[in-house]
Amino acid sequence: MQEKIKNYILEVEGFIPSTEEHLEEFRLKYLSKKGILSDLFLEMKEASPDQKKDLGKVLNELKTKAEEKYSTFKTSLENNKEEVASDKDLTLPSMRYLGSRHPISIVRSEIVDIFSRIGFTVSEGPEIEDDWHNFSALNFPEEHPARDMQDTFFIQKNPDIALRTHTSSVQVRVMETTPPPIRTISPGRVFRNEAISARAHCIFHQVEGLCIDEDISFADLKQTLLYFAREMFGKDTKIRLRPSYFPFTEPSAEMDISCTLCDGKGCNICKHTGWTEIMGCGMVDPNVLTNCGIDAVKYTGFAFGMGIERITMLKYQINDLRIYFENDVRFLRQFSGIV
Ligand code: DAH
């Protein structure tokens, strides 16, 4: 009998069920009331007390092994069934979502590209600025109301340090370190303490432009900006310069382009005027040149500054600034393939 039980043990050890039905056959054969184990326990009762001891040992081993085998395969076969039921096809190729560039990055590169074709380099400056570079050197006297044009985020306890409110601060850094001729643009992030709405945000992007040389005139400024507007918005785009005020330019102007949406006929976007404003500009104030160590008798120059969000809105007809920051892939995917 002992020999028989040992053979059963070997059989149980080697048993691997392929289906649940197969496993059920195993249970019936060994573990059911009419199964092998019940029979063997009955048979054991007939044995002599000496034999019983040894038989009991091997018989218990067979029982444990059969039970373990059954419970292990029961759970693994059930788990397999769940995977099939969940309809997952592991052989399918993975979904391919190629990322896209953010529209602000696309337009920034395009602006850089347009100006680099006429000899402008790219320069950068820090986002955390001191008062000198953001205001004083740019001819904003202390306590001057012009500082209120730009609601500033100051660093706590230090009124000298702030998040830059415009990229005009980079003009100052370039002029302080580079002798003319200078022809540079400075794209970057700027910060203003403004309530967030469809038309305003506390973080946005600007591109500053600066050109300093002997005999630079307002005509150079105008021609440069006309070239930019036509490259960016199409060859039929018209520009218009309106007198304005900035502390760092004299004279100053604001530039409008003919509305890209209605071709100047008048629509909601241009408030029925046919024109939309895209940037501020002017001739660099001689005070600014002097502040930055440039000979204001020998040199003149022009500067301009535009918001990248605004240019992007006009180019792609986006009507809410907040969408740029929301990371909604349905918005971003529309720009895939544009570099
Ligand atoms: N810094 C101005 C602003 O943020 C924009 C600007 C206007 C820049 C005129 C210029 C300029 O360089 O000449 O509102």
Side-chain angles (χ1 to χ4, degrees):
M1 190 181 168
Q2 185 133 4
E3 205 50 33
K4 195 163 64 173
I5 299 174
K6 284 192 174 154
N7 282 339
Y8 283 135
I9 291 181
L10 287 179
E11 194 180 294
V12 166
E13 280 173 348
F15 174 73
I16 299 177
S18 49
T19 59
E20 280 187 287
E21 289 75 34
H22 196 188
L23 182 66
E24 181 60 9
E25 280 169 26
F26 173 86
R27 189 187 70 79
L28 290 172
K29 181 173 173 187
Y30 285 97
L31 299 165
S32 66
K33 272 190 186 148
K34 291 181 183 160
I36 288 171
L37 271 160
S38 302
D39 288 351
L40 288 171
F41 276 110
L42 278 179
E43 218 178 294
M44 190 179 72
K45 283 188 180 156
E46 323 267 285
S48 69
D50 273 2
Q51 283 175 324
K52 262 190 195 163
K53 210 177 140 203
D54 293 341
L55 282 178
K57 224 168 152 191
V58 274
L59 204 48
N60 273 328
E61 189 185 340
L62 174 63
K63 185 172 177 252
T64 321
K65 290 212 159 143
E67 283 170 350
E68 269 175 15
K69 188 65 105 180
Y70 177 75
S71 68
T72 315
F73 277 98
K74 184 148 177 67
T75 26
S76 82
L77 286 172
E78 268 170 10
N79 287 348
N80 281 352
K81 202 169 87 187
E82 265 169 34
E83 271 187 29
V84 173
S86 76
D87 267 354
K88 281 183 200 134
D89 181 353
L90 298 177
T91 62
L92 277 178
S94 62
M95 280 193 266
R96 280 176 67 231
Y97 285 134
L98 282 184
S100 53
R101 296 190 74 204
H102 193 282
I104 296 295
S105 304
I106 294 171
V107 170
R108 186 192 46 206
S109 310
E110 197 172 343
I111 297 171
V112 168
D113 213 54
I114 291 171
F115 281 105
S116 67
R117 293 204 285 275
I118 52 170
F120 281 77
T121 58
V122 172
S123 45
E124 284 180 349
E127 292 178 348
I128 300 172
E129 261 304 2
D130 52 34
D131 181 275
W132 172 254
H133 292 94
N134 197 75
F135 289 124
S136 298
L138 288 164
N139 211 27
F140 285 84
E142 239 173 272
E143 313 295 337
H144 193 279
R147 291 189 180 216
D148 296 342
M149 286 162 73
Q150 305 179 353
D151 284 326
T152 311
F153 283 118
F154 289 99
I155 304 288
Q156 228 183 354
K157 295 195 188 121
N158 189 348
D160 187 44
I161 305 289
L163 295 179
R164 69 179 175 195
T165 57
H166 53 179
T167 42
S168 301
S169 55
V170 188
Q171 271 193 35
V172 179
R173 291 188 174 270
V174 172
M175 285 191 276
E176 281 174 339
T177 52
T178 324
I182 295 170
R183 222 184 288 175
T184 190
I185 56 167
S186 321
R189 268 200 306 194
V190 300
F191 308 84
R192 288 190 200 174
N193 194 357
E194 304 232 14
I196 296 172
S197 71
R199 303 176 60 87
H201 210 290
C202 54
I203 304 176
F204 54 102
H205 300 78
Q206 287 188 332
V207 177
E208 184 77 13
L210 178 71
C211 174
I212 311 274
D213 205 345
E214 291 177 44
D215 298 327
I216 294 286
S217 73
F218 202 92
D220 298 312
L221 168 64
K222 197 173 167 186
Q223 191 58 36
T224 304
L225 297 185
L226 178 63
Y227 156 79
F228 166 74
R230 288 185 171 167
E231 291 294 301
M232 182 54 100
F233 296 105
K235 64 179 174 27
D236 296 324
T237 310
K238 295 181 204 57
I239 65 165
R240 174 173 93 168
L241 289 161
R242 282 178 292 105
S244 185
Y245 169 77
F246 298 102
F248 36 90
T249 42
E250 183 58 39
S252 304
E254 264 162 320
M255 186 178 99
D256 300 339
I257 55 165
S258 48
C259 181
T260 50
L261 215 70
C262 63
D263 280 333
K265 289 184 198 79
C267 68
N268 275 345
I269 297 289
C270 62
K271 295 191 199 111
H272 302 281
T273 61
W275 298 93
T276 32
E277 188 221 311
I278 64 161
M279 68 173 98
C281 60
M283 300 305 290
V284 180
D285 193 302
N287 286 343
V288 175
L289 295 175
T290 311
N291 285 341
C292 301
I294 289 179
D295 182 346
V297 175
K298 187 169 174 198
Y299 294 106
T300 51
F302 65 76
F304 55 88
M306 65 185 106
I308 305 183
E309 277 78 0
R310 175 130 190 87
I311 306 280
T312 312
M313 280 178 137
L314 294 172
K315 186 137 178 121
Y316 293 111
Q317 281 148 36
I318 296 164
N319 55 15
D320 192 324
L321 263 175
R322 291 168 290 198
I323 200 167
Y324 291 128
F325 287 89
E326 280 168 2
N327 288 334
D328 185 332
V329 288
R330 291 168 303 178
F331 170 65
L332 297 172
R333 254 187 226 140
Q334 298 177 80
F335 299 91
S336 65
I338 309 176
V339 280

